[in-house]
Amino acid sequence: MKRSYKFHTDRFVMIFSVIIILVGVLGVWVLYELYTGGYVSAWFSSVIIAIALLMLLSVPRRIVLLDNTLEVQCISDITEIPLDEIEHIRTIPRSKMRWMLPIIGVMGFFGYYGRFLDVRRWRTVHLYLSEWNNFVEIVTIHGSHYYLSCREAEELITTVKELQARQPSRQ
């Protein structure tokens, strides 16, 4: 392993996550009180718990740079991007990240992650963000767009470019 970068969760994401958890618990409790013994409260509780667990399993944890691969490690999933397939890697400002809508993803519950629709450019992108700051854009030769949040963004970009330079060139 060459280098590892942890995702750091900012204060807004943590507060928003706690609020969502409290609203879910309150909803389960209200339905339990209103529909005692009914299937609605059990169904709703099961759905809320299942959705929360699925979201928690997809939370991004770290970015790991290996000799020839950049890995985005989540709790139950690893996204691998081969370094020889990275066409561009750069930092981008917050203003470029507006108008992202989740297709199959999460907004604010322990981060922003999943597949999102970039409404301005009308394309799907992969987001792995634990804060709404310090963005790194990765574009592959296949046209896939990945956005990561990394507090050591410049170091990540420099290391990726150094590793790419050491690899044999593509034919």
Side-chain angles (χ1 to χ4, degrees):
M1 174 173 50
K2 288 287 185 189
R3 184 81 171 103
S4 179
Y5 304 90
K6 284 189 71 172
F7 282 96
H8 298 280
T9 308
D10 65 358
R11 184 179 300 208
F12 174 77
V13 168
M14 288 307 295
I15 291 171
F16 191 75
S17 301
V18 169
I19 289 171
I20 293 215
I21 290 170
L22 291 176
V23 167
V25 168
L26 182 67
V28 167
W29 180 75
V30 166
L31 276 175
Y32 179 76
E33 290 297 320
L34 290 177
Y35 298 105
T36 332
Y39 69 92
V40 174
S41 60
W43 179 84
F44 182 76
S45 302
S46 300
V47 168
I48 293 297
I49 291 169
I51 289 173
L53 289 175
L54 283 173
M55 288 190 292
L56 286 173
L57 288 174
S58 300
V59 173
R61 303 307 307 153
R62 72 182 57 84
I63 302 166
V64 177
L65 275 174
L66 302 173
D67 289 329
N68 57 358
T69 309
L70 183 143
E71 292 182 350
V72 180
Q73 297 179 350
C74 301
I75 291 175
S76 68
D77 184 31
I78 295 176
T79 300
E80 294 181 344
I81 306 170
L83 293 179
D84 61 347
E85 292 184 5
I86 295 176
E87 187 173 356
H88 299 292
I89 182 168
R90 64 183 177 159
T91 59
I92 58 169
R94 283 178 84 158
S95 60
K96 299 270 185 188
M97 295 298 290
R98 292 190 182 131
W99 301 102
M100 296 284 185
L101 298 175
I103 297 172
I104 301 174
V106 176
M107 287 185 75
F109 188 68
F110 294 104
Y112 308 85
Y113 44 92
R115 276 243 160 154
F116 281 65
L117 176 66
D118 184 354
V119 176
R120 282 190 176 163
R121 295 165 195 93
W122 202 249
R123 64 178 178 217
T124 59
V125 298
H126 302 267
L127 273 115
Y128 296 100
L129 311 173
S130 59
E131 58 185 345
W132 204 249
N133 213 357
N134 305 315
F135 301 119
V136 175
E137 177 186 41
I138 298 174
V139 181
T140 66
I141 58 175
H142 306 293
S144 298
H145 293 263
Y146 296 88
Y147 294 98
L148 315 172
S149 64
C150 181
R151 290 193 180 165
E152 300 92 9
E154 293 300 329
E155 181 184 336
L156 171 67
I157 292 169
T158 304
T159 309
V160 166
K161 289 182 178 179
E162 287 173 1
L163 289 172
Q164 282 181 319
R166 291 184 199 157
Q167 290 185 343
S169 63
R170 291 179 259 170
Q171 296 290 339

